Amino acid sequence: MTALDRKLLRDFRRLWAQALAIALVLACGVAILLTTFGTFISLEETRRAYYERNRFADVFADANRAPLWLMQEIRRIDGVRAADARISQFAVLDVPGRAETVTARILSLPPNGQSHLNLPVLQAGRLPSPDATHEVAVNAPFAAANNLRPGDTFHANLNGHRRALTLTGTLLSPEFIYTIGPGALMPDNETFGVLWMPERAVAGAFDMDGAFNNVTLKLNRGASRADVIDRLDDLLEPYGGLGAYGRDIQLSNSFIESELEQLKTSAMILPPIFYAISAFLVSMVISRIIALERSEIGLLKAIGYSNVEICVHYLLLAVLIAMAGTVIGWGVGTWLARALARLYAQFFDFPYLIYNLNYSAYALSGLLAVASAALGAGRSALRAAQLPPAVAMAPPAPPRFKRTWLDRVMVALRLSQPVVMILRSLLRWPLRSGFTALGLALAVAVLVATSFFPAALNELISTTFDRTNRQDAILLFEPDIPETALAEVARLPGVFRAEGQQFQSAVLRHGHREKDVAIEARRPGADLARIITTDGQAVDPPPEGLMLSRRLAGQLGVQPGDIIEVEFLGGINETHFVPVAGLVRQYIGLGAYMDLDTLSRLLRQAPRISVANLQVDAQALPQLHQVLKDTPELSGLIQMNKMQRSFEATIRENVDIMTTIYLTVAVLITIGVAYNGARIQLSERARELASLRILGFSRGEVSFILVGETMVLALLAQPLGWLLGAGIAKALAEGSTSDLYEIPLVLPPAGFAQASLVVLAAALISSLVVRRRLDRLDLVQVMKTRE
């Protein structure tokens, strides 16, 4: 070990507190990078393996009723490797011990019991026998939520007939990683499940012998998905085809894709902030060390050490700090990535989790940490290397200051001497003051950027549940029923009010852009499910034309007054040109609204409804559920208050976890910046502060100068931090927006105030910790040191 090596280790040990403060900030960047990338890679790898092993389909399509012989034509489509025909129906279940209505999607299993696509994974028990008429398998989360085990029996309303079903096994399927029921916003395993039933039994129950209404396709590598979808739509059109679609917009896959995109956005935005702050901190510390060690640098050069060795010596000090931060970040990041990946795996119903945080992620995070530290130390290290020995051994020239108009202003304001000293120090070292304020501003920005999530969640819930969907429950009908049946619905037990609504599948086109949507049609004056405009007003659907959500209008590139092409699916399959009547605010899904009479006229049919929105007496819910369990044509019931509670509980848990992580990170940033700034200020001004004590300044006045400079910078950093935080929050909100939902950008004043209070408190505590060193200053010894 050379003398420089021993000096390097001594310096690192002597500066352990400052090095630790920098290393913790750097560790935050490494940990956040590993957490977001680790979770992203683990989920992506798990999903890819699950899809491949279980042959997740590439294309899906629904129709009203298509003959089985059509599958020969479908399998002959160029690019199709495999195709499965299924029967898909909704049914209401009567589960023992549960008073509420339970909805299930029933999927048929092929006669030989061997599916080609979307292979379910058996979790317990066995698959139903192909010839059995009363055996079913259910998805495992539904069974667990309802305490169902193989051998248990429950009842189902199958096409108006009550039938006892025996559970033979529990399954997981790549098609239902995110199992969400019709009309729901979040998975609710207690009230929605998936049932697999032998094809013969399903066909007999729903009068679908020799027919199917759902088809899934697997494509050859390199096949054109768009061409296959077009050809499939042509084949299914005479049979009520509802529009084929790729796996990219398959509901379960879309939710996972949105979550992965959100993780990727966080990984791209947040870690660079921590690396930049670390580079700045390293620059501050190394430059001050070099200034204090001028004579030692001159001596080292005088005895033969080269410029390269001097430069490398100080770079290695920065690298040691980076390595400490990297090791801490790797440990914390690995733990967080594993914990978050396990949380996501439970939330998304994967049968297994492939944790595959590969070495490249560790290497990338470590290299970025070393690079940011070396970048911060590079300029100072080069200056040290370029110092001639004679110049280095001489005291540095005192900085040249001159009286400016600001000094005259301070005199005119009759500021106290300590205040003047604080302001002069800030003004005469503008670059250092600016970077310190920037570091503190970034800590404020991290808190502002992450604290907007709770407010955004409140806005989303308020708009979705309080202002738009104000019904207590939604009855789902499959297929649509005449609107005249609404009178019978209104006579159900406990129902105060019932309003009908129809959902019609359609393709909207404008120029080369098109979008598959479900047009919602309702009567004017509907009060239980309302349309909210962009200015927050409830409006009726226009007598002519469509109202679109802002996101849908943006994707189609239309404005109010534009004409769009509407191709209806699932029956009449006609195309009409209608005007865009206005834009509305909608955070969940892509909304398109039309008057019910207008839609019925275009479809040339009497008004029909797909759902009935209900206002009900909560006391009468048990009787209502009991009646609905035996009601034919009912495919499900959604209780809005329960859905809201489930939505809030799930989202708030995630928000609370992320808010805690980012609060910790922001405090560490503040401590790193404020502590290092105060330590450097103390080391630079120790002689000056000791002089003040000798001249008669009290310990409090001297402490005020030391702490005051940091706090003034912290106060100045607030507006910039607010602005940067708002910008980062906007980028996070836009990066999280998808077809499924939009995160509203809501920045309440309380969020800015909370961020400022946290940063100011952390800065004050850090400064007070450094201030304690003033009490231990040896005034005589300090006065003997060279400036």
Side-chain angles (χ1 to χ4, degrees), residues 115-349:
S115 302
H116 296 98
L117 303 175
N118 305 318
L119 306 183
V121 180
L122 191 64
Q123 298 293 292
R126 61 173 176 81
L127 287 175
S129 300
D131 297 328
T133 58
H134 63 283
E135 291 185 350
V136 295
V138 304
N139 61 319
F142 173 74
N146 289 281
N147 294 318
L148 292 174
R149 295 178 179 81
D152 289 347
T153 300
F154 56 89
H155 291 83
N157 184 344
L158 302 181
N159 203 23
H161 299 284
R162 183 178 174 85
R163 182 181 296 182
L165 301 175
T166 301
L167 178 63
T168 62
T170 60
L171 309 173
L172 286 177
S173 167
E175 199 176 353
F176 300 102
I177 295 173
Y178 191 85
T179 312
I180 187 167
L185 300 178
M186 297 292 294
D188 185 354
N189 293 320
E190 291 184 353
T191 59
F192 178 75
V194 182
L195 271 63
W196 285 266
M197 199 170 177
E199 183 180 287
R200 181 179 300 176
V202 182
F206 291 94
D207 192 22
M208 292 287 287
D209 286 321
F212 68 93
N213 62 0
N214 178 272
V215 62
T216 57
L217 308 180
K218 191 70 179 174
L219 307 185
N220 291 320
R221 190 181 299 275
S224 171
R225 189 173 63 185
D227 292 344
V228 172
I229 287 176
D230 287 343
R231 180 60 184 145
L232 184 59
D233 281 340
D234 292 341
L235 291 175
L236 291 176
E237 183 178 351
Y239 307 100
L242 297 174
Y245 53 92
R247 67 161 60 171
D248 57 321
I249 58 174
Q250 195 261 351
L251 189 60
S252 170
N253 186 64
S254 292
F255 271 97
I256 302 171
E257 195 65 42
S258 298
E259 198 63 40
L260 290 173
E261 192 62 31
Q262 195 171 348
L263 284 171
K264 191 189 296 183
T265 301
S266 298
M268 297 297 291
I269 292 176
L270 294 176
I273 295 175
F274 303 110
Y275 287 121
I277 295 174
S278 302
F280 155 67
L281 292 176
V282 169
S283 174
M284 276 203 320
V285 171
I286 298 297
S287 64
R288 183 54 195 161
I289 291 173
I290 290 173
L292 293 173
E293 294 184 349
R294 281 175 61 95
S295 58
E296 285 87 343
I297 294 171
L299 187 60
L300 289 170
K301 288 192 169 187
I303 62 178
Y305 284 98
S306 67
N307 291 345
V308 174
E309 288 172 311
I310 297 296
C311 181
V312 169
H313 168 71
Y314 288 106
L315 286 176
L316 283 177
L317 181 58
V319 170
L320 276 181
I321 296 173
M323 289 174 63
T326 301
V327 170
I328 297 172
W330 280 352
V332 176
T334 302
W335 176 74
L336 282 176
R338 285 182 180 276
L340 206 57
R342 280 196 295 269
L343 188 66
Y344 274 112
Q346 295 172 3
F347 185 68
F348 281 131
D349 296 335

Side-chain angles (χ1 to χ4, degrees), residues 115 451 580:
S115 302
S451 66
V580 177

Side-chain angles (χ1 to χ4, degrees), residues 352-504:
Y352 46 80
L353 173 65
I354 300 176
Y355 182 76
N356 188 22
L357 187 53
N358 53 38
Y359 295 114
S360 61
Y362 287 96
L364 176 65
S365 60
L367 283 175
L368 288 174
V370 171
S372 59
L375 185 66
R379 181 169 173 269
S380 299
L382 286 174
R383 289 178 60 186
Q386 292 168 353
L387 275 176
V391 175
M393 295 183 72
R400 298 182 61 183
F401 299 120
K402 61 181 180 181
R403 191 178 179 86
T404 65
W405 61 273
L406 288 173
D407 295 285
R408 290 190 285 274
V409 169
M410 286 188 283
V411 171
L413 292 175
R414 298 186 178 181
L415 299 176
S416 67
Q417 192 60 35
V419 172
V420 171
M421 293 179 70
I422 290 173
L423 296 179
R424 278 179 177 166
S425 176
L426 296 177
L427 295 172
R428 287 170 179 171
W429 301 96
L431 192 61
R432 189 181 68 194
S433 301
F435 276 115
T436 303
L438 178 61
L440 294 169
L442 288 173
V444 178
V446 169
L447 280 176
V448 170
T450 52
S451 66
F452 95 97
F453 279 111
L457 176 61
N458 291 335
E459 167 66 15
L460 191 150
I461 290 173
S462 174
T463 299
T464 303
F465 293 100
D466 298 336
R467 282 177 277 173
T468 302
N469 298 296
R470 311 195 310 170
Q471 64 274 55
D472 297 321
I474 302 174
L475 291 184
L476 310 173
F477 301 106
E478 179 67 30
D480 295 352
I481 62 173
E483 190 189 25
T484 52
L486 202 59
E488 295 181 32
V489 173
R491 288 195 289 271
L492 290 172
V495 174
F496 292 140
R497 185 173 183 177
E499 295 176 353
Q501 193 173 339
Q502 185 181 6
F503 290 85
Q504 173 62 46

Side-chain angles (χ1 to χ4, degrees), residues 499-521:
E499 295 176 353
Q501 193 173 339
Q502 185 181 6
F503 290 85
Q504 173 62 46
S505 298
V507 180
L508 306 186
R509 295 191 182 91
H510 182 249
H512 65 283
R513 302 179 182 182
E514 67 175 38
K515 202 71 184 174
D516 292 352
V517 299
I519 296 176
E520 298 181 35

